[in-house]
Each structure stands twice: as C-alpha cells, then as structure tokens.
Amino acid sequence: MAPILPAQSPLALTNLVKRPGYGTAGTPTKFYVNHFRIASFPDVEIVQYDVQVNAGADTRALIKKVWNSATLQERLGESGKPVIFDGNRLAWSRGPLAFGDELSVVVDLDEGRPARPGRSNKHRVLIRKAAIVSMQILEEYMNNRYSMDNEVLVAINFLDHLLRETPSKRLIAIKRSFFQSQGASPLDGGVEAWKGIFQSVRASMGQLTVNVDVATTVFWSSGPLLEVLTKFMGLRSPDDTANRLSNPNGRRELRRFRKLSFFIKYRGPEHEKKTFIVDGFTEEGADTTTFTTKEGETLTVAQYFTRTYNIRLRYPSIPLIKTKKGASFPMELAIIQEGQRYPYKISDRQTADMIKITAQRPDVRMNAIRTNVRTLGWDNDPVLKAYNLKIQPEMIVTDGRILPPPVINYGAGSKKVSLQPQDGRWNLIGQKLALPQKLESWGVMVFADNRRTPEQVIQNFVRTFINVHRGHGGEVTQMSPPILYASAQRDMNTNVREIFNAAGNAVRKRPQLLLFVLPSRGAEPYNSIKAACDIGLGVCSQCVQLRHVEQAKPQYCANVDLKVNSKLGGTNVFLDKNCYPLYNKEPTIILGADVSHPAPGSGRASFASMVGSLDLQATRYAGIVNTNGHRVEVINSRNIQVFVTTLLRQFRSNTGKVPGRIFYFRDGVSEGQYQQIIDQELADIKKACESLSAGYKPFVTVVICSKRHHSRVFPVNRNAGDRNGNVLPGTIIERDITHPSEYDFYLVSHVALQGTARPVHYHVIHDENQMPVDYFQAFVYNMCYVFARATTSVSLCPPVYYAHLAGQRGRAHEETREEDSASLISGRTGGSGGEEPGEVKDVKPLHPSLAGAMWYI
C-alpha cells in the first residue's frame, strides 16, 4: 500500500493546486443544488467601454442620474442596441456602438427647468472603447483548456452585470442581490429585515451556472426620522428622545444617521421627490440657531418655520440636521426615504430575530428559490434575449456522496469506549472523558446581589458541577471552593484578584480555574473578566449565567465541564486511530487562522488569530492573537512570524517532536485573495520555519475554508436526508458546482438544528503533502467530531473554529480608545458615519501561564 503522505519536492509558491482526482469513499447519492445551467451565452463580439463622468470622483447617485438622462440615452440609442452599465465606470454592448471609439457629451440635468443663478448642473461624460470581451476564452476556461486570468474575470463580470440589468430597474440592487420592501419584517432599533433574491454567475466544470438563493439584509425603517431615532435608541416616545438628546452622550448615537437620505413634505407635494443627505448635526437646536434673511433680519430656525410655514416646532431644542450644501432641517420634519441599507453591525437581539426570519426548512427554501427564479423571469427578459443568454429554469441534479461517520473514543470505564455516532450527534451520559483533569484549586465569584442569590444557591450549583465532573472521570480534591460576591465599589482587576487570592490561599496552591456567575450575556463584565484573567493573572476562567446556576441542571453542568476540562489541559474525546489518517505517521501540526474585522464604520483594528495543535492526535490547540491593521485580510508578516514560531515551539514542547508537515486551514478569504495567501502568508510561514532552524522546511498544505457563499444542497431522495429534510452529515459535493480545474469540494459535516444546512467550501490552494483525496476528505470530516465543547459534529473543521473563537476572545485584550463625542455629532468622522481609524496597537500579550492552554474555548 502506498504511503498516505509520500515525500516529494515542494511545489512552486505561485501555482494553485489542480484537482488530483475525485473521492470514491461513501455512499453515492444524488442531490439538488441551487445552481441553474446556462444553456447558451453570447456568441457575438461584446465590446467593453470605459465611462467617466466629470473627473471620475462623483457619487454613484449622480452618475446614475447622468447615465439615465435623456441626452445621453438618445446618443446611446442611436445604435439600436441595449447597453449594459455597471453604475460606475464600465459599459458593454453587443458589437460596437454607432459613435465609434469615443463619445464626449455634456449632460445638463437642469435642462427644461428654470435657471438657478450661480449654479450649474452640467456634467461632461466621456465614453471610450476599452476592450473586447471574449466569450470563447470563458468556454475554454470552463473546459480546463485555459487558466484563470484577467480576461476570464472580465467575461464573468460582464455576464453578472448582464443578469443584473433588468431586475435592477424594478428592485433595489445591492451587489448581486435584489430587494423590495414587500413583506419586510420589523426588528428592534428602527430597522427591518428585507428578503430578496441573490443571483451570481459561476464557472464550473464544463459549464456556466447561475447560483440563485434567498437573500436577507437589514434596511433602515422608512418614516419620520424622529420616530425611527426613538426606536433606534430603544425609547418609548419622541419626548424621551428629545430628553436624551439634551446631553452629549445621547447625541453620540446620532452618528449612525449620517449619510441617510430623507425628504420633506412641508413645502408641498411637488418637493417630495427631492431628497437630501444627512451630513451631520448641529450642536444647538432650532430655538438658538440663527441666520440672516435676504431682508437682513436675524431669525432663529424655529421662528422661520413658524413665520414661513406656520409650523410650531414641538422639539425646538434638539439638534438640527445639516446637509453638505449648508442647509439645516428640523429632525421632526424629516422623513427617511425607503430602501436604505443599514450598514452597521446589528445587536444580539436583532441577530436572534434575524435568525428566526432567515431560518427556513429545506423544502421552504427550495420553494423560495424556485419562486425567485420565476420572479427573475429569465425567459421574458428582453436584455437577456438581445444577448442570447438562455438559462435552464430547473435546479441542477448532481452526483455526491455521504461519507461514513468516524469512530470516536472515550476514556476507560465509559458506557461505550468506542462509538460511531449516527446523524452527527451522541450522548455524554455514561461516558468518561478521554483525558479528564484533576480540579485542585479553584474559586467562584458571583456578580449578583447576595440577597437575591444567596450562597446556598451557588453551593448547590458547585455540588452539581463536581458530581458531573467526577461522573465523567474527573477528580476534584477541592470540594468547597471559596465563594465571593463582587463589589460594585471595586474595579474589575481588584475583584478578580480577590477571588484569585482566596482560591490559592484555600489550598496553598496556584488557582487552576476561576468560575464567574454573571447576570446576563452582555459584553460587560465578561470582557473585563477575561482580560484580567488572560493577561494579568494567567488563570483559566469560566463564565456561567445566573439563571442556569439557579437551575443547576446536570446537562448544563456537563456542557460547562467540556470547556473546563479542555481549559485545564484535558482531552474530551479522540478519533479512533483507524479514522485519523495521520495516526502513527510523521509528526504533523495542524494550524488554523482567521482574520476578523470590526463592525462597519468602526475605527477599531482588525484581529488576526491562529491556533496550532499541541498533540499528535490534533485534539488540543494553543491560540495566539494580535491586531492586524485596519480591515486588512492578509495576516501581516510580523504576526505570521510570531504566531508560527510560537506554535511550533509549543508543539515541540508538548510532544517532544518537530513537525515534518503542516496543514494550514485558513478562514475568511475571498477567491480573489487566494494568490495573496500563497504569495504572502505561505511564504511567511516558510520563512518562520527557516528562522527556527536553518534547513527546516516542513511540507505545507494550505486549505481555504469558506461559509460565505450561497450554494445549498438538498436531498433528491428522502433517505439521503434527516427528519427536517436536510442532507445528512458527511454529504460531499465535488462535481457540477466546483471549480473547473482546481482542488475544491463542498462538505456538510453537521446536523442543522434549524433552517437549511450550509456546506463549507474547502479549497486546497497549495499542497506539498499530497494526501490522497479520500484520506484528505475523511481527515477534514472526521475532525469535525472532536470539537472540544460539543457532543455533535460541527459545521466547520475545528482548527478554523478555534481560531475564530480565539479572535473573538482577543477583542477583550484590545486597548480601547476614547471617542471625541463632539466630532461624532458634528460629522467630522471617517467612513459612513463612524470613527476614523486610529493608531493600531498590539494587544496586550497573553500571560505565559496560559501559553499552552485552550483559554479561548
């Protein structure tokens, strides 16, 4: 039998891996995928034009007005051909347009209106022939006879915009999705969820497809701005909002209303079509803001509205809206225009409501997708007909497989030492953890009033937790850990230090664990506790919710125990040696990495995180995090150097071996950045290895893991689905919707508790280890059964999952910046109403005591 990991020469850093073959393991099964075959596409010359309006720096809204003007459309219509426009700088036509290689025209948007002294609304448009879009090259690429290059991207980009042209005229278009307000679902905070249609052209093996899915995004609610602001602030009435706006802290919340379009009604119906943009807010209200009239009279804004429009402002003291042209409007008279996307991170409650709205059973989602196809109306689209683009309206049926679940091993004395989970889940009752840890020194701190939550309640929970840990094979020598109540008069570090000292003094030993009982799931005091423990004291911490502590259910304690045992250095479950392809092979380290970004409009830094396996079975992972610039996706060289060398040293310290092979799983990277990962991150990993020891060159495989896609899989046969209609765990797709030539596949490794299961797209972009396809796919799938804090298979392979958790926790280590509330109110900020990026500082380093611990779990 050939070795699973043959030795070979490393590949060049600039090549993406070609598909080495297809897997054969598992049960062959047919599946529906939400892709639709393109039966024919343009077979004539497509000409691409560059479009420039004025100097090229105008807003898309103005560019759209200029493009749709009668003057320009008349000139373009002389050719009798529909012209496709991307809304910014590119246009396409079927064959050359009548004007030849270049058209220069002046568009007057005020044509036919009374002239406005001192104001010109004329705009020069320059259209130049730029390139010929080759459909033939696209066909060669699909059939693996041509490599990906700019010409292929240009052709796919054209087809995407061709598909967008008609629906974008009747629906609100956001990138590749289309929305309408019909059926909008209100959320808390003055926003609402709109359902829409996603469609995108995909090139796959031997064919082009259109990926169609449901889309949901959050829009601002339309209506009176003051009412929306009241909901946004979580207040009962505009009166409460006016009171909140009377102090600077309340006014800081106005920053998110910058860039919103609004209109007014008090000037009459003919003015309702004119929209204005919020540029900022005044410091003073309408009762104190003055201006001089043409007659030389000084009036306050409130007096002006009373005199001119007979409107007595109800809230004259709140800030006024400012526009870029210097106009000011009372908030209570502004009406937010419909169809404006909410660009900020939504709250936990809004997220929970969004999940309820978007979670659709597979049969419901399939029907919604088919409805979306009918709404798009490809057969009756005049633009598609003009360009000879025909799409089959039935979902593709593809051949896939269902991989068998692995055998997992628990500790001696278990009800079942070895078990093979069915349907991706199993029960912990009667099972002993694989490597349970002894709990000798620990303490409990309660963030609640001791009169509401007496110590007896906490002691009851502690007893239940101890019984559960012992029941799963663990040993507890400190049966009565000290219990303290946090003081609101002391800062967090002092509170945490107090329980740390009490726990250590009780048994004269450094604490292993601090347990914190919190009243809710809010960011505070959670983040402050984690920072104090992770950075200052170097002790593992576990937070639990008060309501669960009061109930003290064994099931909840068992879930907590999985985390605690992992943090203490234990292992909960192993893969059976026959289900782990790397068993007894050359030492191998598994790395997982992720980069997370702050909410849109925030000036905070991006975070890079990396985890590395600590044992030969790849069940325990050390983690390390740091800032990574502002919205930078590629992990910088300095971070890679520190991360990789640190994790390699920890692997050697724990195993006594030097890894000869590295599997690097990377999350959160778009297809256009794959080459950057090879050119930068992979190259930096190799440099980091070389820096540890001259000549140290382990073989590296790089795998991109992505859930940010719209491909969904549905069982054709009910036997291939679960009771909810989802595909079974182990479903793998590697034909019809995968890359024409590169090494990728879609894998569903979990049970979807609600909604439709989303497969993870795994794309091997660099492969020096050359593990056979069946072994590699089993390797990825089987790892999903040993995620430390679950008794189910998880949707994403654990190294990436852990890296994501470490990145989230790393936010608690970040140094915060003070905000200038005055600038936030007045509008002197960067981005879309957010903070200007500040200096990026490294996070405070993790305490050395936690270097080899799963502190982030």
Side-chain angles (χ1 to χ4, degrees):
M1 184 177 183
I4 293 174
L5 296 174
Q8 80 293 309
S9 300
L11 303 175
L13 285 183
T14 54
N15 293 333
L16 292 183
V17 179
K18 300 302 179 185
R19 188 182 301 280
Y22 295 95
T24 58
T27 305
T29 312
K30 290 190 178 296
F31 299 96
Y32 291 112
V33 288
N34 60 333
H35 288 242
F36 301 80
R37 284 191 177 90
I38 292 181
S40 68
F41 53 89
D43 53 0
V44 297
E45 183 180 85
I46 304 299
V47 183
Q48 179 172 302
Y49 294 87
D50 287 338
V51 179
Q52 181 175 315
V53 176
N54 299 320
D58 290 302
T59 64
R60 285 186 177 241
L62 176 61
I63 292 171
K64 182 179 180 180
K65 288 180 183 178
V66 172
W67 179 264
N68 292 328
S69 66
T71 303
L72 184 57
Q73 289 301 311
E74 284 174 10
R75 293 299 309 272
L76 295 174
E78 293 170 1
S79 303
K81 303 172 183 177
V83 180
I84 312 301
F85 183 49
D86 74 345
N88 189 22
R89 299 186 70 95
L90 296 177
W92 299 266
S93 70
R94 182 173 178 170
L97 294 173
F99 58 74
D101 291 344
E102 184 175 304
L103 171 67
S104 179
V105 62
V106 174
V107 173
D108 186 357
L109 293 179
D110 284 340
E111 187 174 355
R113 300 176 184 173
R116 294 183 295 175
R119 291 189 180 182
S120 173
N121 208 0
K122 294 181 178 181
H123 307 275
R124 179 170 293 279
V125 183
L126 181 62
I127 303 176
R128 286 193 179 120
K129 183 177 178 181
I132 303 297
V133 179
S134 174
M135 293 291 109
Q136 183 180 357
I137 283 179
L138 185 56
E139 188 169 8
E140 294 293 301
Y141 170 72
M142 293 184 307
N143 291 293
N144 198 18
R145 296 192 293 265
Y146 191 86
S147 298
M148 170 61 76
D149 66 2
N150 190 59
E151 288 189 84
V152 175
L153 293 174
V154 165
I156 294 175
N157 186 45
F158 158 69
L159 290 176
D160 258 333
H161 283 92
L162 178 60
L163 278 174
R164 283 168 48 95
E165 185 68 14
T166 298
S168 65
K169 291 178 179 177
R170 53 190 171 89
L171 301 170
I172 295 173
I174 298 177
K175 296 182 179 178
R176 295 183 174 93
S177 298
F178 308 93
F179 298 92
Q180 56 185 353
S181 60
Q182 183 178 356
S185 301
L187 303 173
D188 278 345
V191 297
E192 52 195 28
W194 289 21
K195 288 189 176 181
I197 305 169
F198 171 88
Q199 71 168 356
S200 174
V201 174
R202 305 290 299 175
S204 56
M205 294 178 296
Q207 63 185 355
L208 281 174
T209 70
V210 179
N211 179 202
V212 179
D213 195 17
V214 296
T216 308
T217 196
V218 179
F219 285 78
W220 284 100
S221 298
S222 58
L225 189 148
L226 197 56
E227 291 182 11
V228 175
L229 178 60
T230 299
K231 294 177 182 177
F232 177 78
M233 290 181 164
L235 303 175
R236 293 184 178 181
S237 70
D239 291 348
D240 297 330
T241 304
N243 290 333
R244 173 79 66 86
L245 293 175
S246 64
N247 67 77
N249 287 333
R251 296 185 182 193
R252 289 173 60 183
E253 299 187 59
L254 292 174
R255 69 182 188 266
R256 293 202 172 180
F257 284 73
R258 287 191 66 230
K259 307 296 184 185
L260 270 182
S261 296
F262 68 94
F263 62 93
I264 53 176
K265 289 185 174 181
Y266 56 81
R267 290 179 180 172
E270 67 276 7
H271 290 279
E272 290 183 22
K273 292 184 179 180
K274 181 174 177 58
T275 59
F276 306 88
I277 307 293
V278 177
D279 189 53
F281 298 87
T282 62
E283 297 282 353
E284 298 181 338
D287 55 353
T288 54
T289 300
T290 61
F291 69 99
T292 303
T293 65
K294 293 178 182 178
E295 293 76 23
E297 185 180 5
T298 299
L299 294 176
T300 65
V301 172
Q303 290 171 335
Y304 170 78
F305 274 88
T306 301
R307 181 180 299 184
T308 308
Y309 300 106
N310 196 27
I311 296 174
R312 186 177 297 278
L313 297 179
R314 186 174 179 181
Y315 306 104
S317 63
I318 66 175
L320 296 166
I321 298 171
K322 295 194 305 183
T323 68
K324 278 192 174 180
K325 293 183 179 180
S328 297
F329 296 89
M331 264 194 255
E332 61 190 272
L333 300 180
I335 301 169
I336 295 178
Q337 192 176 32
E338 184 181 77
Q340 299 184 75
R341 187 183 183 189
Y342 183 73
Y344 304 103
K345 182 179 179 181
I346 58 177
S347 68
D348 290 343
R349 182 168 179 177
Q350 289 169 332
T351 300
D353 290 341
M354 278 286 284
I355 291 172
K356 293 176 184 176
I357 293 166
T358 58
Q360 296 175 309
R361 289 171 62 100
D363 56 339
V364 176
R365 195 178 191 111
M366 276 190 77
N367 290 333
I369 291 169
R370 287 167 174 155
T371 299
N372 287 346
V373 169
R374 290 193 292 270
T375 301
L376 290 169
W378 294 323
D379 288 345
N380 300 316
D381 189 321
V383 177
L384 299 189
K385 286 182 178 180
Y387 282 82
N388 192 36
L389 187 69
K390 297 178 181 177
I391 307 163
Q392 295 178 356
E394 298 85 22
M395 283 190 186
I396 291 174
V397 177
T398 188
D399 292 316
R401 293 171 289 121
I402 302 175
L403 301 180
V407 174
I408 56 177
N409 294 335
Y410 278 95
S414 295
K415 183 178 179 181
K416 289 185 178 180
V417 173
S418 295
L419 62 92
Q420 188 174 29
Q422 299 302 311
D423 300 327
R425 62 181 73 188
W426 60 98
N427 203 312
L428 202 59
I429 295 175
Q431 298 300 105
K432 307 293 185 183
L433 301 181
L435 291 176
Q437 295 298 291
K438 181 188 293 186
L439 189 52
E440 302 174 282
S441 177
W442 59 306
V444 182
M445 175 160 274
V446 185
F447 284 80
D449 189 281
N450 60 359
R451 289 170 295 183
R452 182 189 178 281
T453 309
E455 190 169 326
Q456 292 88 337
V457 171
I458 309 300
Q459 289 171 339
N460 181 53
F461 176 82
V462 167
R463 284 193 297 270
T464 305
F465 175 76
I466 289 173
N467 290 337
V468 167
H469 186 63
R470 295 173 72 180
H472 290 312
E475 184 180 348
V476 182
T477 59
Q478 168 59 302
M479 303 293 289
S480 300
I483 299 171
L484 300 179
Y485 286 79
S487 171
Q489 279 68 49
R490 294 194 295 265
D491 62 35
M492 186 58 64
N493 287 331
T494 304
N495 276 317
V496 174
R497 170 69 69 175
E498 183 181 18
I499 187 60
F500 179 84
N501 291 337
N505 293 336
V507 292
R508 298 177 180 273
K509 190 170 185 179
R510 195 177 200 282
Q512 298 168 279
L513 175 75
L514 298 181
L515 191 71
F516 296 92
V517 180
L518 305 183
S520 66
R521 298 185 62 181
E524 291 298 337
Y526 179 89
N527 285 342
S528 296
I529 289 170
K530 293 300 182 182
C533 294
D534 297 346
I535 298 169
L537 298 175
V539 61
C540 289
S541 56
Q542 179 62 51
C543 295
V544 291
Q545 290 187 61
L546 176 59
R547 63 187 180 92
H548 291 302
V549 169
E550 291 172 338
Q551 296 170 355
K553 293 181 179 179
Q555 178 62 56
Y556 178 77
C557 291
N559 292 338
V560 173
D561 191 39
L562 293 177
K563 297 182 182 182
V564 168
N565 193 60
S566 299
K567 290 175 181 179
L568 295 179
T571 298
N572 298 333
V573 64
F574 287 117
L575 281 173
D576 186 83
K577 63 181 181 182
N578 294 319
C579 298
Y580 186 57
L582 297 175
Y583 179 79
N584 210 24
K585 300 295 186 296
E586 186 175 2
T588 302
I589 187 172
I590 314 298
L591 300 178
D594 184 29
V595 174
S596 61
H597 304 292
S602 171
R604 298 171 67 187
S606 296
F607 259 61
S609 53
M610 188 179 289
V611 299
S613 56
L614 290 167
D615 57 351
L616 297 177
Q617 296 86 357
T619 59
R620 293 185 43 73
Y621 288 79
I624 186 169
V625 299
N626 197 17
T627 52
N628 197 65
H630 289 289
R631 310 202 77 80
V632 178
E633 184 56 54
V634 177
I635 302 176
N636 65 50
S637 297
R638 187 167 68 94
N639 279 339
I640 290 282
Q641 171 71 26
V642 174
F643 291 178
V644 173
T645 54
T646 300
L647 295 172
L648 285 172
R649 288 190 180 104
Q650 289 173 346
F651 180 89
R652 181 175 182 178
S653 174
N654 280 270
T655 65
K657 299 179 183 296
V658 176
R661 301 181 186 274
I662 297 173
F663 283 86
Y664 180 51
F665 291 88
R666 180 66 159 86
D667 187 26
V669 179
S670 64
E671 293 178 22
Q673 295 173 311
Y674 288 179
Q675 193 63 49
Q676 283 181 277
I677 299 301
I678 291 176
D679 292 344
Q680 297 178 49
E681 291 188 13
L682 174 60
D684 288 336
I685 288 172
K686 289 179 173 289
K687 289 177 185 176
C689 293
E690 185 78 19
S691 72
L692 288 173
S693 177
Y696 176 45
K697 297 180 180 179
F699 293 145
V700 184
T701 293
V702 181
V703 187
I704 305 298
C705 317
S706 176
K707 295 179 77 172
R708 298 176 187 172
H709 60 78
H710 281 269
S711 293
R712 298 293 184 272
V713 186
F714 306 92
V716 171
N717 190 315
R718 287 186 178 180
N719 294 331
D722 62 16
R723 61 188 179 187
N724 293 325
N726 271 306
V727 296
L728 296 173
T731 295
I732 192 164
I733 305 293
E734 52 182 342
R735 299 177 187 271
D736 289 315
I737 62 172
T738 49
H739 194 278
S741 61
E742 293 170 9
Y743 187 7
D744 68 327
F745 57 89
Y746 291 86
L747 173 65
V748 177
S749 56
H750 68 297
V751 176
L753 299 180
Q754 57 181 342
T756 303
R758 185 203 309 246
V760 174
H761 183 218
Y762 293 95
H763 198 136
V764 182
I765 63 172
H766 184 82
D767 189 18
E768 297 172 7
N769 288 297
Q770 296 186 0
M771 183 185 284
V773 174
D774 277 330
Y775 282 96
F776 180 73
Q777 291 176 349
F779 169 54
V780 173
Y781 175 50
N782 293 354
M783 278 198 296
C784 296
Y785 281 77
V786 291
F787 183 66
R789 65 183 200 184
T791 54
T792 62
S793 57
V794 291
S795 62
L796 186 62
C797 65
V800 170
Y801 205 145
Y802 292 143
H804 180 66
L805 292 176
Q808 285 182 320
R809 271 286 295 281
R811 289 282 175 193
H813 306 169
E814 186 179 19
E815 293 191 27
T816 57
R817 297 189 300 113
E818 293 297 323
E819 297 173 332
D820 180 357
S821 59
S823 69
L824 293 173
I825 296 168
S826 64
R828 299 190 305 274
T829 57
S832 300
E835 309 164 34
E836 289 188 11
E839 178 188 355
V840 176
K841 298 179 181 179
D842 288 349
V843 295
K844 295 178 180 178
L846 191 69
H847 194 284
S849 299
L850 296 179
M854 296 182 73
W855 50 273
Y856 50 84
I857 195 98

